[in-house]
Amino acid sequence: MLGSLLDTVMDRTIAPGYTSIGYRVRHRVAGWDDALPRLEGRTVLVTGVTSGIGRAAAERFAQLGARVLLVARDAGRGARARAELVAATGNEDLHVELCDLSSLASVRALAGRLEGTPLHVVVHNAGLLPAERRVTEDGIEVAFATNVLGPFLLTALTEQTLRASAPARVIWVSSGGMYSQRVATSDLQAEGLADDWDGTVVYARTKRAQVILAELWAERLAGSGVVVHAMHPGWVATPGVKDSLPRFEKVVRPLLRTPYEGADTIVWLGAADEPARSSGGFWHDRRARPTHLLPSTRETDEQRRALWDACVELSGAPV
Ligand SMILES: NC(=O)c1ccc[n+]([C@@H]2O[C@H](COP(=O)([O-])OP(=O)(O)OC[C@H]3O[C@@H](n4cnc5c(N)ncnc54)[C@H](OP(=O)(O)O)[C@@H]3O)[C@@H](O)[C@H]2O)c1
């Protein structure tokens, strides 16, 4: 009871809960079982494995004995990550899959190569916070393309494989920043912010969209044995944070989580028994969390549907 109250207070007051302190207090007070179920015979796909949270998650999945598909957009960085992960874990069943998540053609090519491969866990981790408005080769704003549209298309193109591989899990790595924003269905590609760019707002909107899409995929896959969850890792010391939020990183540096601490709930969602018993949750530090802290961020059913329809239309997903 005390543990639960402390956990909730840390969560709602943001700073204590999102830092390494929050992770360590919860780990100790809740008495987390560090020994997660083994994953031999399971195939886990993780995007964004070349640094930060994705790399740490891939390492933990490899330690649990999974076959891990390491999705990276650069062959050299992917090969280096694989070599380091094999050396760290002794698991040689790790395979680099090249894909630029911001490119619809690249996502389609990856899905094509995956046909016939069972998929038990898919982790949509790759992401970015854009310093300026850029569009991809498909003409899509790059944060929306990478954080939302690419993962949406990959989920759609692997849906039948996931169903056939069930029990299976899809995990969207969102951000606590999403609490600050409502989904921007009338401006998903941030054209309205082009002249007054705020990357953190654009990023947070994509992270809000991820949480809604996880819920909608969970509804679509209900009863299939494929569960879908979103999570946020807290504030984690990664190259991404250092590059895109240098001032924030400097102030909170001593309190930032390690990538392993940030990845913990991803691996728990992918391996533990409890997350398989529900779907459509939003998690942080192994506990379901609210998806809204402010009434102003709540979206309507029409906006949820509009987000889904826009993703289908822009990606050409077969759903
Ligand atoms: N760190 C935090 O405090 C924090 C907080 C909340 C949420 N998150 C979320 O956690 C996830 C991981 O972030 P991180 O902090 O670990 O960042 P990071 O160190 O910058 O890692 C991002 C990863 O995504 C990959 N990536 C980026 N764009 C890609 C693309 N178009 N195609 C394929 N891969 C791409 C990067 O690959 P390259 O090596 O090729 O660039 C890298 O492997 C992100 O979704 C982020 O929003 C992080």
Side-chain angles (χ1 to χ4, degrees), residues 168-188:
R169 306 168 187 201
V170 179
I171 300 157
W172 292 73
V173 180
S174 178
S175 163
M178 72 99 196
Y179 280 122
S180 68
Q181 294 296 315
R182 177 201 273 252
V183 66
T185 37
S186 58
D187 190 16
L188 287 172

CSV table of all heavy atoms in Angstrom, one decimal, residues 168-188:
chain,number,residue,atom,x,y,z
A,168,ALA,N,1.8,-13.0,-29.1
A,168,ALA,CA,2.8,-12.0,-29.6
A,168,ALA,C,2.5,-10.6,-28.9
A,168,ALA,O,1.4,-10.4,-28.4
A,168,ALA,CB,2.8,-11.9,-31.1
A,169,ARG,N,3.4,-9.8,-29.0
A,169,ARG,CA,3.3,-8.4,-28.3
A,169,ARG,C,3.9,-7.3,-29.2
A,169,ARG,O,5.0,-7.6,-29.8
A,169,ARG,CB,4.0,-8.4,-27.0
A,169,ARG,CG,3.6,-9.6,-26.1
A,169,ARG,CD,4.5,-9.8,-24.9
A,169,ARG,NE,4.1,-11.0,-24.2
A,169,ARG,CZ,4.3,-11.2,-22.9
A,169,ARG,NH1,5.0,-10.4,-22.2
A,169,ARG,NH2,4.0,-12.4,-22.4
A,170,VAL,N,3.2,-6.2,-29.3
A,170,VAL,CA,3.8,-5.0,-30.0
A,170,VAL,C,3.9,-3.9,-28.9
A,170,VAL,O,3.0,-3.7,-28.1
A,170,VAL,CB,2.8,-4.6,-31.1
A,170,VAL,CG1,3.4,-3.3,-31.8
A,170,VAL,CG2,2.6,-5.7,-32.1
A,171,ILE,N,5.1,-3.3,-28.9
A,171,ILE,CA,5.4,-2.3,-27.8
A,171,ILE,C,5.8,-1.0,-28.5
A,171,ILE,O,6.7,-1.0,-29.3
A,171,ILE,CB,6.5,-2.8,-26.9
A,171,ILE,CG1,6.1,-4.1,-26.3
A,171,ILE,CG2,6.9,-1.8,-25.9
A,171,ILE,CD1,7.3,-5.0,-25.8
A,172,TRP,N,5.1,0.1,-28.2
A,172,TRP,CA,5.4,1.4,-28.7
A,172,TRP,C,6.1,2.2,-27.6
A,172,TRP,O,5.6,2.4,-26.5
A,172,TRP,CB,4.1,2.1,-29.1
A,172,TRP,CG,3.4,1.6,-30.2
A,172,TRP,CD1,2.6,0.4,-30.3
A,172,TRP,CD2,3.3,2.2,-31.6
A,172,TRP,NE1,2.1,0.3,-31.5
A,172,TRP,CE2,2.4,1.3,-32.3
A,172,TRP,CE3,3.8,3.3,-32.2
A,172,TRP,CZ2,2.1,1.6,-33.7
A,172,TRP,CZ3,3.4,3.6,-33.5
A,172,TRP,CH2,2.6,2.7,-34.2
A,173,VAL,N,7.3,2.6,-28.0
A,173,VAL,CA,8.1,3.4,-27.0
A,173,VAL,C,7.7,4.9,-27.2
A,173,VAL,O,8.2,5.6,-28.1
A,173,VAL,CB,9.6,3.2,-27.2
A,173,VAL,CG1,10.4,4.1,-26.2
A,173,VAL,CG2,10.0,1.7,-27.0
A,174,SER,N,6.9,5.4,-26.3
A,174,SER,CA,6.4,6.8,-26.4
A,174,SER,C,7.3,7.6,-25.4
A,174,SER,O,8.5,7.3,-25.2
A,174,SER,CB,4.9,6.8,-26.0
A,174,SER,OG,4.5,8.1,-26.0
A,175,SER,N,6.7,8.7,-24.9
A,175,SER,CA,7.5,9.6,-24.0
A,175,SER,C,6.5,10.2,-23.0
A,175,SER,O,5.4,10.5,-23.4
A,175,SER,CB,8.1,10.6,-24.9
A,175,SER,OG,8.5,11.7,-24.0
A,176,GLY,N,7.0,10.5,-21.8
A,176,GLY,CA,6.2,11.3,-20.8
A,176,GLY,C,5.9,12.6,-21.4
A,176,GLY,O,4.9,13.3,-20.9
A,177,GLY,N,6.7,13.1,-22.4
A,177,GLY,CA,6.3,14.4,-23.0
A,177,GLY,C,5.0,14.4,-23.6
A,177,GLY,O,4.4,15.5,-23.8
A,178,MET,N,4.4,13.3,-23.9
A,178,MET,CA,3.1,13.2,-24.6
A,178,MET,C,2.0,13.7,-23.7
A,178,MET,O,1.0,14.2,-24.2
A,178,MET,CB,2.8,11.8,-25.1
A,178,MET,CG,2.5,10.8,-24.1
A,178,MET,SD,0.7,10.6,-23.9
A,178,MET,CE,0.6,9.7,-22.4
A,179,TYR,N,2.3,13.8,-22.4
A,179,TYR,CA,1.2,14.3,-21.5
A,179,TYR,C,0.9,15.8,-21.7
A,179,TYR,O,-0.1,16.3,-21.3
A,179,TYR,CB,1.7,14.1,-20.0
A,179,TYR,CG,1.5,12.7,-19.4
A,179,TYR,CD1,2.6,12.0,-19.0
A,179,TYR,CD2,0.3,12.1,-19.4
A,179,TYR,CE1,2.5,10.8,-18.4
A,179,TYR,CE2,0.1,10.9,-18.8
A,179,TYR,CZ,1.2,10.2,-18.4
A,179,TYR,OH,1.1,8.9,-17.8
A,180,SER,N,1.8,16.5,-22.4
A,180,SER,CA,1.7,17.9,-22.6
A,180,SER,C,0.8,18.2,-23.8
A,180,SER,O,0.5,19.4,-24.0
A,180,SER,CB,3.0,18.6,-22.7
A,180,SER,OG,3.7,18.2,-23.9
A,181,GLN,N,0.6,17.3,-24.7
A,181,GLN,CA,0.0,17.6,-26.0
A,181,GLN,C,-1.3,16.7,-26.2
A,181,GLN,O,-1.4,15.6,-25.9
A,181,GLN,CB,1.0,17.3,-27.1
A,181,GLN,CG,2.1,18.3,-27.1
A,181,GLN,CD,1.8,19.7,-27.3
A,181,GLN,OE1,1.0,20.1,-28.1
A,181,GLN,NE2,2.3,20.6,-26.4
A,182,ARG,N,-2.2,17.4,-27.0
A,182,ARG,CA,-3.3,16.7,-27.6
A,182,ARG,C,-2.9,16.2,-29.0
A,182,ARG,O,-2.0,16.9,-29.6
A,182,ARG,CB,-4.5,17.7,-27.7
A,182,ARG,CG,-5.7,17.2,-28.3
A,182,ARG,CD,-6.5,18.4,-28.8
A,182,ARG,NE,-7.4,18.9,-27.7
A,182,ARG,CZ,-8.7,18.7,-27.7
A,182,ARG,NH1,-9.3,18.1,-28.7
A,182,ARG,NH2,-9.4,19.2,-26.8
A,183,VAL,N,-3.5,15.2,-29.5
A,183,VAL,CA,-3.2,14.8,-30.9
A,183,VAL,C,-3.6,15.9,-31.8
A,183,VAL,O,-4.6,16.5,-31.7
A,183,VAL,CB,-3.9,13.4,-31.2
A,183,VAL,CG1,-5.4,13.6,-31.3
A,183,VAL,CG2,-3.3,12.9,-32.5
A,184,ALA,N,-2.7,16.2,-32.8
A,184,ALA,CA,-2.9,17.3,-33.7
A,184,ALA,C,-3.5,16.8,-35.0
A,184,ALA,O,-2.8,16.9,-36.1
A,184,ALA,CB,-1.6,18.0,-33.9
A,185,THR,N,-4.7,16.3,-35.0
A,185,THR,CA,-5.2,15.7,-36.2
A,185,THR,C,-5.4,16.6,-37.4
A,185,THR,O,-5.4,16.2,-38.5
A,185,THR,CB,-6.6,15.0,-36.0
A,185,THR,OG1,-7.4,15.8,-35.1
A,185,THR,CG2,-6.4,13.6,-35.4
A,186,SER,N,-5.5,17.9,-37.1
A,186,SER,CA,-5.7,18.9,-38.2
A,186,SER,C,-4.3,19.3,-38.8
A,186,SER,O,-4.3,20.0,-39.8
A,186,SER,CB,-6.5,20.1,-37.7
A,186,SER,OG,-5.8,20.7,-36.6
A,187,ASP,N,-3.3,18.9,-38.1
A,187,ASP,CA,-1.9,19.3,-38.6
A,187,ASP,C,-0.9,18.3,-38.2
A,187,ASP,O,0.1,18.6,-37.5
A,187,ASP,CB,-1.6,20.7,-38.0
A,187,ASP,CG,-0.3,21.3,-38.6
A,187,ASP,OD1,0.1,20.8,-39.7
A,187,ASP,OD2,0.3,22.2,-38.0
A,188,LEU,N,-1.1,17.1,-38.6
A,188,LEU,CA,-0.2,15.9,-38.2
A,188,LEU,C,1.2,16.2,-38.6
A,188,LEU,O,2.1,15.6,-38.0
A,188,LEU,CB,-0.8,14.6,-38.8
A,188,LEU,CG,-2.0,14.1,-38.1
A,188,LEU,CD1,-2.6,12.9,-38.9
A,188,LEU,CD2,-1.8,13.7,-36.7
